[in-house]
Amino acid sequence: MSTLRFHAVIESLNRKPIKIKESKRRSEVFGSNVFNEAAMRQYLTKTALKSVMEAIDKGSKIDRLVADHISTGMKEWAISKGATHYTHWFQPLTGATAEKHDAFFETIGDGLAIEKFGGGQLVQQEPDASSFPNGGIRNTFEARGYTAWDPTSPAFIYGTTLCIPTVFVAYTGEALDYKTPLLRALQAVDNAAVSVCKYFDKNVKKVNASLGWEQEYFLIDSTLAASRPDIMLTGRTLLGHSPAKGQQLDDHYFGTIPNRAMAYMRDLENECMLLGIPVKTRHNEVAPNQFELAPIFEEANLAVDHNSLLMDVMQKVAARHNFKVLMHEKPFAGVNGSGKHNNWSLSTDTGVNLLSPGKTPMSNLQFLTFFINTIKAVQTHEELLRAAIASASNDHRLGANEAPPAIISVFIGAQLTKVLQELETVTKGKLSPKEKTDLKLNVVGKIPEILLDNTDRNRTSPFAFTGNKFEFRAVGSTANCANPMTVLNTIVAKQLIDFKAEVDQLIDKKEMKKDDAIFNVLREYIKTSKAILFEGNGYSEEWEKEAKKRGLSNNKTTPEALKVKVSKSSVALFEDLGVMNKVESEARYEIEMEEYILHIQIESRVIGDIARNHVVPTAVRYQNILIDNVTGLKSIYGDGFKTYAKEQLSLIEQISQHIEAINSLVTKMTEARKTYNNETDLEQKANGYCKKVKPLFEEIRYHCDKLELTIDDELWPLTKYRELLFTK
């Protein structure tokens, strides 16, 4: 037992949980490493504090002179916390966060130095823009780009570095990050929602989109992960036969959290408390060694920043506990993959959740307005919403038995479906007094009571209403939440703008009363949005056929899904609302297509390497052992050896067949890769990798996994599923 695999298993079995100290209440340490309002009150002048708060609440600009005061206070606070460096922390289109650290240190001559951090350094920096994905916006030799401070997301200290959340734009002004379009989309939905809210409450001045994400992940011992080249290079297992026991007993879900995992979670939660990430829930997920954590809802921009930060912190904390965190949507075949459900809602500055029913018919009419408009937005832009969660890794999860299908639909439950059916029968035009009474008392007024019992969940629904929010369940675990949140808030903003225009037209031209106009428009939306509503099993073939009849898209692969991003209607949508211009939309399409190609290309190289350099040589070694055994039997029994060597000879033949198939398939895959590497058309290249290269993975895997079942366990070099999934 000299292979790396067995050394890794022995080392992982000898691990002990790290002791975690929690000396204070969480409420006492929460946000202590965040330059939040409490810290600003202590370190900023009244003028500087007022300027920052107005920037957060109203989006007003901060004067450069005031920025100098803010930077001084921020620096003193950071140094008092042990910080030595600062960085503009941003989210380029790589899917990871980025940072370049500068010291507060500055020389002033005569061998003297000071700690310096001015307003200019706070507000703007110039990282190299050409080295990040830009989709053709910048040439390689045109390096300049800008990071600009986002005061709506507070600065924080991680380690000894002051991290300042920023946007990232090209020298020519185009967004090169996830945050910039998100901020624009949030502004668009704010403006549109406030206008609609005025129908119900003239005091509403601001509407915030809120987000609560649920992060699923796997924990694997670091030595076991290191023994698998596929995990280290791609984040998932490209080979591996399912173990005899997987998740079929449902014994892991919500079970007792293993000791090492619990120590990791406590340590992670301590870090989150310091950073102001309000994590609240932790539990075992369905698959072995799969877990989940979730926070309290926050304003969407801050929630996106916190999730991006969390994914980085998770890996760093895991290293202390000798774990590797697998964020991949499908790291193991045959067991559940990981998602990141995005729970979304809209709330007013008057404290009202617009997707939560109230106690009066009027507040429920407001609820129905935003509820139905959201459904209508999804109906109109379902392809764009599918594109927002498209990736090479999420393709493995969507449509599997634990995740929603690639067909976007909305689940609202039987009770609310009945409410919409009743609203659909509203008379066109002005309502009679009886209709108004029936609607307000018998339909609209009863919504809170209905929702008390409307607790159904549909795990196969990509987009489900869950009582006071919509849950976008199709988002993948590796995703930056900004992508789906940008699209969702944009399409809802567009829909609310259209809704208000239609209602105002009925009020102005048809001289309808406000309630009549609202009911009339909502009734038409219910009729035209029926196709998107689905309560059944999303995995069934019947639903695929039904969805096709309804005109819903079923873009199962990323290249198919992404095409809508550069359609005329999508480009116009983002341009009209000021979320992205044509150049930015096209750049993102190019970046995401290129990223897809590179992911498949890397996986292809890795599976080819493992198959030929790990699996085949091991198969040959075992085959030689069998041949030696057969030769020995022949020397003992002579011509009658076949009676005693029948099984060995059969195994030798099977192994040869698998070896031949593996080498043939790897050669075929390599040639296909070469062909499409020479393809200049991006769409053709992506489709080639998708349809000609990627399908060979499963064929190669089949033969490798058959050999895993055949070859002596002590010879097999790759850590097996039973060890990866059941070593606690």
Side-chain angles (χ1 to χ4, degrees):
M1 296 204 310
S2 59
T3 64
L4 175 62
R5 169 188 160 209
F6 288 106
H7 286 300
V9 170
I10 291 167
E11 189 170 338
S12 64
L13 289 172
N14 289 330
R15 305 276 199 207
K16 296 288 186 273
I18 294 175
K19 292 183 178 179
I20 307 300
K21 292 183 179 179
E22 294 176 271
S23 56
K24 294 183 178 180
R25 292 186 179 188
R26 294 191 170 190
S27 58
E28 293 177 16
V29 299
F30 181 72
S32 56
N33 282 353
V34 179
F35 197 56
N36 51 26
E37 187 174 346
M40 287 191 288
R41 288 189 182 281
Q42 187 175 352
Y43 284 89
L44 298 186
T45 63
K46 285 185 178 180
T47 302
L49 175 63
K50 182 182 177 184
S51 184
V52 174
M53 296 311 295
E54 286 183 349
I56 294 170
D57 296 335
K58 301 176 183 177
S60 55
K61 291 185 178 181
I62 296 174
D63 185 87
R64 276 300 182 103
L65 292 175
V66 178
D68 282 330
H69 292 292
I70 297 168
S71 63
T72 300
M74 193 181 288
K75 177 196 69 178
E76 292 304 316
W77 169 78
I79 291 173
S80 75
K81 292 281 186 179
T84 58
H85 289 68
Y86 65 91
T87 182
H88 274 200
W89 182 83
F90 57 104
Q91 299 168 48
L93 297 169
T94 57
T97 58
E99 52 197 67
K100 181 191 75 168
H101 297 191
D102 284 297
F104 289 121
F105 176 82
E106 190 120 342
T107 57
I108 57 173
D110 296 327
L112 301 174
I114 59 171
E115 275 80 23
K116 186 178 179 182
F117 179 58
Q121 293 161 309
L122 166 65
V123 171
Q124 186 172 298
Q125 291 278 308
E126 291 185 27
D128 185 342
S130 67
S131 298
F132 291 105
N134 61 67
I137 290 176
R138 308 291 288 140
N139 292 311
T140 303
F141 60 84
E142 295 173 325
R144 183 173 286 182
Y146 295 113
T147 50
W149 177 35
D150 171 19
T152 63
S153 185
F156 57 91
I157 294 171
Y158 191 57
T160 58
T161 304
L162 170 66
C163 300
I164 303 156
T166 58
V167 298
F168 180 42
V169 296
Y171 177 69
T172 45
E174 291 88 2
L176 295 174
D177 65 346
Y178 285 110
K179 179 184 274 277
T180 304
L182 174 66
L183 290 173
R184 295 168 180 166
L186 293 174
Q187 185 63 56
V189 81
D190 176 14
N191 293 339
V194 166
S195 294
V196 174
C197 281
K198 297 288 186 185
Y199 287 139
F200 309 98
D201 184 356
K202 300 289 185 184
N203 297 316
V204 174
K205 295 178 181 175
K206 186 172 180 58
V207 171
N208 283 318
S210 63
L211 168 64
W213 39 262
E214 303 168 30
Q215 182 70 57
E216 295 177 342
Y217 62 98
F218 282 82
L219 279 181
I220 305 299
D221 186 272
S222 57
T223 57
L224 295 179
S227 71
R228 293 284 307 223
D230 46 0
I231 289 178
M232 298 305 291
L233 295 175
T234 72
R236 76 180 182 107
T237 54
L238 299 171
L239 306 173
H241 199 281
S242 297
K245 179 181 183 293
Q247 65 185 47
Q248 61 266 50
L249 296 178
D250 296 324
D251 53 344
H252 185 68
Y253 189 54
F254 278 21
T256 302
I257 299 171
N259 291 336
R260 282 185 64 201
M262 177 63 83
Y264 166 75
M265 290 177 178
R266 289 175 61 198
D267 199 2
L268 174 63
E269 288 167 3
N270 288 345
E271 293 284 356
C272 288
M273 288 300 106
L274 295 172
L275 293 166
I277 305 173
V279 292
K280 186 174 178 67
T281 303
R282 66 188 183 203
H283 63 83
N284 290 359
E285 257 300 332
V286 176
N289 279 349
Q290 186 187 32
F291 307 94
E292 180 184 300
L293 83 161
I296 296 169
F297 282 56
E298 299 180 282
E299 187 275 321
N301 178 43
L302 183 57
V304 167
D305 280 1
H306 277 165
N307 183 250
S308 297
L309 175 59
L310 173 93
M311 289 195 287
D312 186 41
V313 174
M314 286 176 76
Q315 296 288 5
K316 290 177 180 176
V317 174
R320 295 203 289 259
H321 293 257
N322 297 301
F323 278 129
K324 182 171 179 62
V325 178
L326 302 186
M327 298 280 189
H328 195 286
E329 282 81 356
K330 196 74 174 178
F332 301 102
V335 297
N336 277 19
S338 299
K340 177 152 44 193
H341 303 173
N342 277 208
N343 295 279
W344 171 88
S345 190
L346 296 171
S347 299
T348 69
D349 57 346
T350 58
V352 175
N353 178 349
L354 295 171
L355 289 174
S356 182
K359 296 179 180 178
T360 66
M362 182 54 74
S363 61
N364 287 329
L365 180 56
Q366 179 174 264
F367 157 72
L368 283 170
T369 295
F370 284 90
F371 176 70
I372 294 168
N373 271 283
T374 301
I375 295 170
K376 173 67 174 171
V378 176
Q379 162 70 34
T380 306
H381 302 284
E382 46 94 9
E383 270 198 288
L384 195 54
L385 211 54
R386 164 66 180 98
I389 45 93
S391 70
S393 53
N394 208 22
D395 280 357
H396 293 286
R397 170 178 166 264
L398 294 177
N401 286 341
E402 79 288 350
I407 304 165
I408 298 296
S409 63
V410 179
F411 170 83
I412 62 172
Q415 299 287 7
L416 280 172
T417 299
K418 187 177 179 182
V419 169
L420 296 193
Q421 288 170 348
E422 292 190 53
L423 287 174
E424 190 182 343
T425 61
V426 175
T427 303
K428 188 172 183 180
K430 296 179 181 179
L431 308 183
S432 68
K434 184 178 184 304
E435 282 180 315
K436 282 192 178 182
T437 301
D438 287 346
L439 274 171
K440 289 190 174 181
L441 295 181
N442 298 332
V443 181
V444 182
K446 290 184 178 178
I447 288 175
E449 299 167 31
I450 289 171
L451 291 188
L452 286 175
D453 296 319
N454 188 36
T455 54
D456 283 347
R457 294 288 185 272
N458 187 333
R459 63 201 294 268
T460 69
S461 175
F463 199 83
F465 184 71
T466 55
N468 59 0
K469 61 190 182 297
F470 279 99
E471 183 179 14
F472 193 6
R473 302 185 74 255
V475 181
S477 51
T478 60
N480 185 311
C481 297
N483 213 358
M485 284 297 102
T486 296
V487 171
L488 179 56
N489 284 289
T490 299
I491 65 175
V492 171
K494 168 63 174 168
Q495 180 53 48
L496 291 173
I497 290 169
D498 292 347
F499 170 77
K500 187 172 188 305
E502 290 182 53
V503 171
D504 286 349
Q505 187 175 35
L506 290 179
I507 293 171
D508 296 339
K509 293 188 177 180
K510 301 285 186 179
E511 296 184 349
M512 279 191 194
K513 289 185 177 179
K514 180 183 68 179
D515 285 7
D516 290 347
I518 290 172
F519 275 123
N520 271 267
V521 176
L522 291 181
R523 182 202 58 207
E524 294 306 311
Y525 286 173
I526 292 168
K527 290 179 180 178
T528 55
S529 300
K530 279 183 179 180
I532 204 73
L533 298 177
F534 179 62
E535 308 293 307
N537 180 5
Y539 305 146
S540 65
E541 290 183 14
E542 289 76 13
W543 169 230
E544 284 205 18
K545 293 175 184 176
E546 173 63 22
K548 189 175 182 180
K549 286 181 184 177
R550 295 186 186 190
L552 300 178
S553 66
N554 187 9
N555 298 322
K556 293 184 177 181
T557 68
T558 292
E560 286 178 290
L562 290 178
K563 286 168 67 175
V564 72
K565 285 199 167 187
V566 286
S567 67
K568 286 184 179 180
S569 59
S570 296
V571 171
L573 168 71
F574 289 119
E575 274 195 313
D576 291 347
L577 291 177
V579 174
M580 287 187 288
N581 60 32
K582 188 170 187 281
V583 172
E584 290 168 328
S585 291
E586 291 175 345
R588 274 159 178 73
Y589 170 74
E590 185 175 319
I591 289 166
E592 290 174 35
M593 288 284 273
E594 185 68 30
E595 183 183 8
Y596 176 84
I597 292 166
L598 292 174
H599 272 289
I600 304 300
Q601 185 184 80
I602 290 167
E603 289 191 347
S604 173
R605 288 172 174 168
V606 172
I607 197 171
D609 169 60
I610 295 175
R612 277 190 168 156
N613 295 316
H614 294 69
V615 174
V616 168
T618 304
V620 171
R621 281 178 64 196
Y622 184 57
Q623 194 176 48
N624 287 337
I625 292 172
L626 292 172
I627 291 170
D628 288 343
N629 178 259
V630 171
T631 303
L633 289 171
K634 186 175 183 180
S635 68
I636 295 171
Y637 296 105
D639 292 341
F641 82 99
K642 289 185 179 180
T643 303
Y644 304 101
K646 182 180 178 182
E647 293 302 322
Q648 293 91 319
L649 289 168
S650 176
L651 285 173
I652 290 168
E653 187 176 338
Q654 289 174 36
I655 290 169
S656 291
Q657 290 171 353
H658 289 308
I659 290 172
E660 190 280 328
I662 289 168
N663 280 321
S664 174
L665 288 166
V666 170
T667 298
K668 184 179 178 181
M669 179 181 67
T670 304
E671 291 304 314
R673 204 169 63 226
K674 286 179 182 177
T675 298
Y676 290 103
N677 283 345
N678 293 324
E679 176 61 64
T680 55
D681 183 272
L682 190 64
E683 188 177 328
Q684 291 295 327
K685 188 173 183 178
N687 282 324
Y689 263 93
C690 178
K691 296 175 182 178
K692 300 297 182 181
V693 177
K694 185 183 171 186
L696 294 171
F697 293 3
E698 285 306 308
E699 294 185 52
I700 295 167
R701 178 177 194 148
Y702 170 81
H703 293 285
C704 291
D705 288 357
K706 285 296 182 183
L707 287 174
E708 181 185 325
L709 290 179
T710 304
I711 292 169
D712 182 353
D713 183 62
E714 290 197 11
L715 293 179
W716 191 253
L718 300 171
T719 303
K720 295 187 175 183
Y721 267 34
R722 67 168 183 261
E723 295 148 355
L724 291 166
L725 291 172
F726 292 98
T727 304
K728 303 298 181 185

